[in-house]
């Protein structure tokens, strides 16, 4: 269930993302009821997460600790040494929480650095019972702000796991970004490097959040990808900046942001605007981190490359697209653009969720009901065709 704890949509998304798996702990449920509604700043969220992470770590609850360490790092500037310490603690706690599972960590050489990847081998019983045609491997692609640990942990929501799952941080993501490797539009290149490393000749691919765009870019240029899932849709990355604006102002913002000029105006405006919006301040901080650029006009110009428009007609694989009309990062009306871009797909299944009927599934990445979302995706991968909703 998606809970509106604070009234700030960005804060509520991050709180639901971290704490939904932890609400079965009585003390966490109490904290969610008593403390979350009073959270008013990123600093308060960071302080609470850090305190809880240290507490659960001391109690030996590594499953709670790794999630809280990740949240404690979320809003912290990459230049602050506390971010790296929190991420290192997150990785250590994650490995402890998953000890004994068929899950391994890998460092994949890529250009002048390494990509962090994780592989979770299929459940033998699930694989033995899987319908014919079920893919042997599923690659899960990260997004704008996650780490490989969180992405592969999402796989625990699949009702069955008949395929090996590989998650990785590409350039400008997670551990790779923290190591200084910046975002690149040609996503087929890191994808190919990961598939080569694991010796994968054919795989389904699932993109999470911004990964919903990246998976499409990879599929357009990587023939080894046999099926594509956008969880959920992401037509254009820059929509995340203009989406929070009042609808009448969006065309003007589109004209300025989309072209990243005049540069002096953008740089001046972006030096002031983040003081009035914690969401915008975080997005700009994260975008600078991922691109390695400093001037807002340069950042926006770089992010403008991440759009499905040039991919129109180039994607031929079967595709599943999830979308929600309460998504705070992706305009629901982009669904028509996505359909047009995928006009040459072998097949296209769309699951579109509306807040009036299905508020939990209408949120970004269906975060209010991950079990149901992964059941839909798992059924589609195994050949059980989902109903198309619009």
């Amino acid at each position: 269930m998606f809970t509106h704890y604070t009234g700030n949509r960005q804060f509520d998304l991050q709180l639901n993302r971290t704490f939904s798996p932890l609400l079965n702990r009585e003390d966490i449920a109490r904290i969610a009821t008593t403390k979350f509604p009073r959270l008013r700043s990123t600093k308060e969220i960071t302080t609470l997460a850090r305190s809880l992470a240290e507490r659960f770590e001391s109690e030996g609850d590594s499953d709670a600790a790794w999630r809280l360490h990740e949240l404690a790092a979320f809003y912290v500037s990459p230049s602050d040494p506390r971010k790296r310490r929190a991420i290192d603690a997150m990785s250590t706690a994650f490995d402890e929480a998953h000890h004994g599972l068929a899950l391994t960590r890998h460092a994949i050489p890529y250009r002048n650095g390494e990509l962090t990847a994780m592989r979770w081998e299929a459940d033998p019983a699930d694989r033995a019972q899987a319908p014919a045609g079920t893919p042997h491997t599923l690659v899960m692609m990260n997004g704008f702000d996650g780490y490989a640990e969180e992405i592969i942990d999402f796989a625990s929501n699949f009702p069955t796991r008949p395929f090996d799952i590989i998650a990785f941080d590409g350039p400008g993501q997670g551990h790779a970004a923290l190591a200084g490797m910046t975002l690149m539009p040609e996503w087929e290149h890191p994808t190919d490097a990961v598939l080569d490393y694991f010796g994968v000749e054919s795989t389904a691919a699932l993109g999470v959040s911004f990964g919903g765009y990246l998976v499409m870019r990879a599929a357009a240029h990587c023939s080894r990808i046999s099926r594509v899932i956008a969880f959920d849709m992401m037509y254009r990355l820059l929509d995340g900046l203009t989406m929070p604006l009042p609808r009448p102002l969006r065309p003007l913002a589109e004209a300025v942001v989309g072209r990243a000029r005049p540069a002096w105006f953008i740089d001046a405006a972006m030096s002031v605007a983040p003081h009035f919006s914690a969401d915008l301040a975080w997005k700009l901080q994260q975008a600078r981190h991922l691109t390695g650029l400093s001037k807002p006009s340069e950042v926006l110009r770089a992010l403008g490359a991440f759009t499905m428009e040039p991919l129109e007609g180039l994607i031929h694989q079967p595709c599943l697209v999830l979308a929600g009309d309460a998504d705070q990062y992706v305009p629901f009306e982009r669904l028509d653009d996505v359909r047009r871009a995928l006009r040459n797909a072998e097949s296209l299944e769309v699951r579109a969720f509306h807040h009036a009927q299905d508020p939990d599934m209408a949120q970004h990445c269906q975060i209010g009901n991950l079990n149901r979302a992964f059941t839909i995706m798992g059924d589609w991968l195994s050949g059980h065709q989902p109903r198309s909703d619009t």
Side-chain angles (χ1 to χ4, degrees):
M1 181 177 71
F2 188 92
T3 304
H4 300 272
Y5 292 111
T6 69
N8 181 307
R9 296 184 72 195
Q10 217 274 345
F11 291 175
D12 287 341
L13 177 64
Q14 304 314 323
L15 292 171
N16 277 271
R17 173 178 171 179
T18 298
F19 286 96
S20 290
L22 306 179
L23 290 176
N24 59 344
R25 294 159 172 82
E26 184 177 341
D27 46 353
I28 290 292
R30 175 182 54 78
I31 290 169
T33 301
T34 59
K35 292 189 176 183
F36 287 6
R38 298 201 298 268
L39 293 171
R40 292 292 179 268
S41 69
T42 59
K43 183 178 180 180
E44 291 174 350
I45 293 174
T46 300
T47 300
L48 177 63
R50 184 181 299 123
S51 173
L52 290 173
E54 291 171 353
R55 175 191 143 194
F56 280 109
E57 195 168 62
S58 69
E59 294 175 357
D61 189 342
S62 55
D63 186 57
W66 79 261
R67 300 174 194 278
L68 292 160
H69 280 304
E70 186 175 31
L71 180 59
F74 189 83
Y75 289 111
V76 176
S77 168
S79 62
D80 188 328
R82 292 177 300 173
K83 189 179 191 78
R84 186 177 293 277
R85 288 199 296 268
I87 293 303
D88 288 345
M90 180 270 290
S91 296
T92 298
F94 179 92
D95 290 345
E96 292 174 355
H98 295 81
H99 180 72
L101 299 182
L103 197 158
T104 51
R105 186 182 291 272
H106 302 263
I108 300 176
Y110 186 74
R111 298 192 173 178
N112 296 322
E114 293 179 337
L115 306 180
T116 292
M118 309 191 83
R119 181 187 184 195
W120 195 356
E121 295 181 24
D123 181 292
D126 289 344
R127 175 163 281 171
Q129 298 175 25
T134 300
H136 190 273
T137 305
L138 172 67
V139 171
M140 295 180 65
M141 297 187 183
N142 202 345
F144 190 68
D145 53 52
Y147 285 78
E149 289 88 346
E150 179 189 22
I151 301 305
I152 204 160
D153 183 74
F154 277 138
S156 62
N157 292 285
F158 278 119
T160 63
R161 197 168 34 77
F163 27 70
D164 293 345
I165 296 171
I166 299 168
F168 70 96
D169 289 340
Q173 294 181 323
H175 296 283
L178 207 56
M181 193 180 294
T182 55
L183 195 60
M184 59 182 293
E186 301 82 11
W187 206 249
E188 61 274 17
H189 297 326
T191 301
D192 279 333
V194 171
L195 298 184
D196 288 345
Y197 176 89
F198 287 105
V200 174
E201 294 301 323
S202 178
T203 182
L206 186 164
V208 181
S209 190
F210 173 41
Y213 160 76
L214 295 174
V215 74
M216 295 297 178
R217 168 71 201 212
H221 299 282
C222 181
S223 61
R224 284 184 283 181
I225 294 178
S226 60
R227 305 185 198 184
V228 187
I229 299 176
F231 174 53
D232 49 21
M233 71 169 179
M234 177 71 74
Y235 181 80
R236 192 185 75 147
L237 181 56
L238 283 176
D239 285 336
L241 291 177
T242 58
M243 181 76 175
L245 298 174
R247 193 174 293 272
L249 295 180
R250 289 183 195 172
L252 176 61
E254 292 282 348
V256 175
V257 172
R259 298 181 180 88
R261 63 176 186 264
W264 66 266
F265 175 77
I266 290 174
D267 293 338
M270 287 294 190
S271 68
V272 176
H275 294 290
F276 301 96
S277 169
D279 180 50
L280 181 57
W282 173 80
K283 287 175 181 174
L284 185 57
Q285 171 184 282
Q286 185 70 3
R288 282 170 164 156
H289 175 45
L290 303 193
T291 61
L293 301 170
S294 56
K295 290 184 178 180
S297 55
E298 295 174 342
V299 171
L300 294 180
R301 191 174 295 111
L303 297 187
F306 297 91
T307 171
M308 287 184 68
E309 184 176 359
L311 304 180
E312 284 192 20
L314 298 181
I315 298 165
H316 302 282
Q317 299 91 331
C319 296
L320 170 65
V321 173
L322 285 74
D325 67 359
D327 194 315
Q328 61 183 276
Y329 296 132
V330 183
F332 189 67
E333 54 266 29
R334 284 294 189 192
L335 186 54
D336 290 338
D337 296 321
V338 171
R339 288 181 186 275
R340 184 177 63 253
L342 298 178
R343 65 180 184 270
N344 286 341
E346 181 179 319
S347 63
L348 174 60
E349 293 288 342
V350 174
R351 296 300 300 263
F353 304 99
H354 301 270
H355 185 264
Q357 295 83 33
D358 211 339
D360 292 336
M361 295 290 283
Q363 298 290 334
H364 184 60
C365 289
Q366 290 66 59
I367 198 70
N369 194 340
L370 289 176
N371 285 335
R372 183 176 165 203
F374 276 85
T375 296
I376 290 169
M377 293 186 284
D379 285 349
W380 185 79
L381 287 168
S382 64
H384 301 295
Q385 294 300 314
R387 148 179 87 82
S388 180
D389 291 334
T390 56

